[in-house]
Amino acid sequence: MFSGKAHAAATVITAGVASPAIVFLAQQPPLSAIAFAAGCMVGLVVTPDLDVRYRNTYSETIMRHTAGRFVGLLWDILWLPYAYLIPRHRHWLSHTPLLGTALRLLYLLILPALIWWILGYFAALPALPQITLSPVASWALGGLVLVDALHWAMDRLAR
Ligand SMILES: [Zn+2]
């Protein structure tokens, strides 16, 4: 079984190898490569292994070391319901490429939408903005999807 550290190393290597390839082989603008690398790096913390019910995941460790203990704790609390919504660790809902990524991004969008909806009862708020995917955001999403797929492949290899 690969550890969270091994998944993180694979993620960083993917960002480091794929980003120059996007510029030099695919001849895309550097901003696309930067967005792709950023998407890969988001995969360090928005990882399929957030389905682990015991806390102190590698994702939380990264958040705690980069943003402080309080943010790490908030990150941990944010993902605790997700861990209990997914039936078990490495379930297909969290680990299937594309589906798992989409569900985690949806999970991240639900909380702000819920807060906005509740605040709407107390104050007149504008409607939630429509989410559109710019070309740069598409590259970032591609990076996240790729590292999630890599995570899935590593977990399959380690069985
Ligand atoms: Zn996993």
Side-chain angles (χ1 to χ4, degrees):
M1 181 181 352
F2 287 104
S3 67
K5 199 172 189 174
H7 284 299
T11 295
V12 172
I13 290 168
T14 300
V17 170
S19 297
I22 288 169
V23 173
F24 297 112
L25 298 178
Q27 300 188 341
Q28 294 297 312
L31 185 58
S32 300
I34 292 168
F36 186 86
C40 290
M41 300 314 266
V42 167
L44 287 173
V45 290
V46 185
T47 168
D49 285 345
L50 287 166
D51 63 0
V52 173
R53 290 185 181 167
Y54 67 85
R55 301 322 295 164
N56 199 22
T57 60
Y58 199 69
S59 168
E60 188 257 339
T61 301
I62 292 171
M63 290 300 280
R64 192 168 8 99
H65 284 283
T66 56
R69 293 180 75 178
F70 183 68
V71 173
L73 178 65
L74 289 179
W75 186 252
D76 211 22
I77 292 168
L78 172 69
W79 287 99
L80 196 58
Y82 174 85
Y84 280 92
L85 287 170
I86 302 295
R88 61 174 169 76
H89 178 46
R90 291 188 178 169
H91 192 267
W92 61 270
L93 285 171
S94 60
H95 275 62
T96 302
L98 286 176
L99 176 67
T101 308
L103 289 177
R104 275 185 299 287
L105 292 177
L106 186 65
Y107 181 82
L108 279 176
L109 290 175
I110 285 174
L111 185 62
L114 189 65
I115 291 170
W116 194 261
W117 181 71
I118 291 170
L119 290 176
Y121 278 103
F122 303 105
L125 297 175
L128 282 173
Q130 185 120 18
I131 296 174
T132 55
L133 206 56
S134 69
V136 170
S138 298
W139 278 103
L141 183 59
L144 180 59
V145 167
L146 180 65
V147 295
D148 279 357
L150 180 63
H151 181 111
W152 170 81
M154 289 174 71
D155 280 355
R156 299 284 290 191
L157 279 174
R159 278 186 175 180

